[in-house]
Structures are given as structure tokens and as C-alpha cells.
Amino acid sequence: MAAALRACPPGAAWIAATGALTNVGALFLRHPELRARVAGVTVMGGSVGGGFTAAVMGVVDGVARVGNYTQWAEFNVLIDPEAAAAVLGDPVLAAKTTLVPLDLTHLVLATKEVQELLLYGPEGESGAPRQGRGKTDLRVMLVELLNFFAGTYRDVFGIVEGPPLHDPLAVAAVLAGTEHEIPFYDYDPEKPEGPGRRERFAVEVVTEGTLEDAQHRGAQTGRTLVKLLPPGSEGVKIPRGLDIPRFWKVIEECCERADEANEKILATAASS
């Protein structure tokens, strides 16, 4: 990773973390000079709770859930809270970090309409007849993967409209400032200032306790605690929303490009 970052011009490369932050934390611990070189860091992880968004988070023993793997913690942060604390609390990285928590991902649901879009493409929305299980095997596989945990989200979290999508949101955040940008909303829609009040946060991670403590003894290990910073401060960006129709449109366009690439590969194989 260090070599790859050094091979890119300063301010060009992003790091998109969609799992534990172990490698990212180790990277900047060993090569602190690279913190200034990256354009930004996006992290799918953590959870705020407390009505940060309108997302359904679920209930455990009558208490509102904050995390997904435990009552308080999201899995990616919980499995290495020290690394998450190091990355999210780093003063150089914080100003260029976007955190995509469960509060955001639980808003982006693969509803029946979205699944039909992914299976058959935009022409399916116009009422054109749909043939077979889907337009291509790739699309069928994608929707099957989306639905793999649908029962868990329904029974444990109370999300009934469709399963949420997580990791691709952290990748989508990298498009900020490009012609392909998917708008992420970094303001509180409930406040009168609206978009005029850009929000930035200080993020702390609870590192006390073990995984076993968190799973069996109610410890808050891995919990992400956020504090809204004064206006104009630099800190971690934690969006409260995004242009969801635009996001799914881009996902479908990616499917279309993958379909075209697969067709070329199959055609080449057939002619050889």
C-alpha cells in the first residue's frame, strides 16, 4: 500500500476501507508521512445511533440498538477498535476522512423496485416484458448476494423494505468532486440552517474490554462516539444522507459496463 501511494501524485489517491482498519492503521503508523499524501480516506464502519438519521437500527431487549454485531458496536470497528481509534482520531487524517456508518447504510435499501432495476436494467421500469431470472448471470448473482442476509435484517433489525447495502457506499464517497459524484449530505436536515451548516465530527472509539466482553458481558468495546465540532472546524465527515436514486443508478450503470465486458470476453473465447 505504501508503494502504491508513493507511485501516485500527491493528493490523487484515496483509501477506501470496507473492513477492519488494521492494515490502514498499520500503514500510517509505519509511514506517517503518507497521511499528507492521500487525497482522502473513506471508512465503512461504526454507528452513531440516537436518531442520527431516520434509519431503522433495531432493538435488543427493549433497548434501541446502536451496533450490528453487538448492542453497541459495528463489526468492522469492533474487531480492531485500536486501529479504528488510531485512524479516526488522527488529526491529519480526520479532516480528509469520510465515515459511512450503519446510520447511513441502513437508509440505502435494495427494495423490490431496486432489485428489478438491477436484474433487468432501466428498460424494466418502463413496463417492458422481463424474461428469465434476470438480464445476465452477473445481475442474478448480485441480487442473490444482496438477499443473502435479507432475513437477518428483517428479523433482527426490523428492516422489511429490503436489505441494506454497506461497502459500496464507502467506495461511492470517493467520487466526491468528480463528474460522477454521488451527493452525500453532510448537514442536519432537522436544523434550520440546512445545507448551510456543514457538519464535522470528532470520533472516539471505545477500546476498553475484549471481543468476548462485548459479546457476552455488555461491554461497549468498539462503540464509536461522535461529537459535533464548532462551525468551521475540520474533522471527520459523517453524512446523514445521500442521493439514493443516483446511487442505485450508478450501480446499475456499473452492471451494464460489466455485462458489456463479459460479452466481449465470451465473444473472444468463442472465436478462438
Side-chain angles (χ1 to χ4, degrees):
M1 290 172 65
L5 289 175
R6 290 195 178 95
C8 297
W14 282 76
I15 293 178
T18 58
L21 286 164
T22 306
N23 289 343
V24 179
L27 169 72
F28 292 120
L29 180 64
R30 182 173 296 183
H31 307 282
E33 74 282 359
L34 294 178
R35 296 175 302 168
R37 192 176 185 87
V38 297
V41 177
T42 65
V43 178
M44 191 281 115
S47 183
V48 179
F52 188 75
T53 72
V56 176
M57 304 297 288
V59 175
V60 177
D61 296 330
V63 179
R65 176 188 285 272
V66 176
N68 59 357
Y69 200 69
T70 71
Q71 167 75 38
W72 303 106
E74 182 275 333
F75 179 79
N76 290 347
V77 173
L78 174 62
I79 54 177
D80 195 341
E82 290 81 8
V87 174
L88 296 172
D90 186 288
V92 177
L93 293 175
K96 55 177 84 174
T97 295
T98 299
L99 182 65
V100 178
L102 298 178
D103 313 75
L104 184 65
T105 64
H106 280 200
L107 295 174
V108 184
L109 307 180
T111 63
K112 179 181 178 181
E113 293 74 20
V114 165
Q115 292 183 36
E116 290 182 351
L117 170 67
L118 298 180
L119 282 171
Y120 301 102
E123 66 273 12
E125 297 181 326
S126 64
R130 301 181 176 95
Q131 309 229 343
R133 299 169 58 209
K135 190 174 178 181
T136 62
D137 290 341
L138 171 69
R139 291 172 180 264
V140 172
M141 181 183 69
L142 172 60
V143 172
E144 288 179 346
L145 289 172
L146 285 173
N147 280 302
F148 187 78
F149 289 109
T152 299
Y153 286 114
R154 180 188 64 246
D155 300 336
V156 176
F157 298 97
I159 300 176
V160 298
E161 294 89 350
L165 206 61
H166 300 285
D167 296 350
L169 289 175
V171 178
V174 173
L175 300 175
T178 73
E179 61 179 309
H180 306 292
E181 178 175 3
I182 299 171
F184 282 71
Y185 308 135
D186 56 345
Y187 60 90
D188 187 347
E190 301 298 324
K191 297 293 178 63
E193 301 93 335
R197 171 66 167 90
R198 189 194 76 160
E199 293 184 324
R200 292 296 181 268
F201 297 86
V203 180
E204 295 183 12
V205 178
V206 177
T207 56
E208 293 79 11
T210 65
L211 177 60
E212 186 175 277
D213 292 334
Q215 287 180 294
H216 305 296
R217 302 184 185 94
Q220 296 190 19
T221 311
R223 183 177 184 179
T224 43
L225 303 172
V226 309
K227 178 182 178 182
L228 181 63
L229 296 172
S233 300
E234 291 300 331
V236 177
K237 176 180 178 180
I238 309 179
R240 293 181 188 256
L242 71 150
D243 187 337
I244 296 175
R246 168 70 176 159
F247 171 79
W248 286 118
K249 180 176 182 291
V250 170
I251 294 294
E252 195 285 322
E253 290 171 349
C254 291
C255 290
E256 186 63 32
R257 292 183 182 181
D259 289 340
E260 293 173 356
N262 286 339
E263 286 180 6
K264 292 178 180 179
I265 292 172
L266 292 174
T268 300
S271 62
S272 61

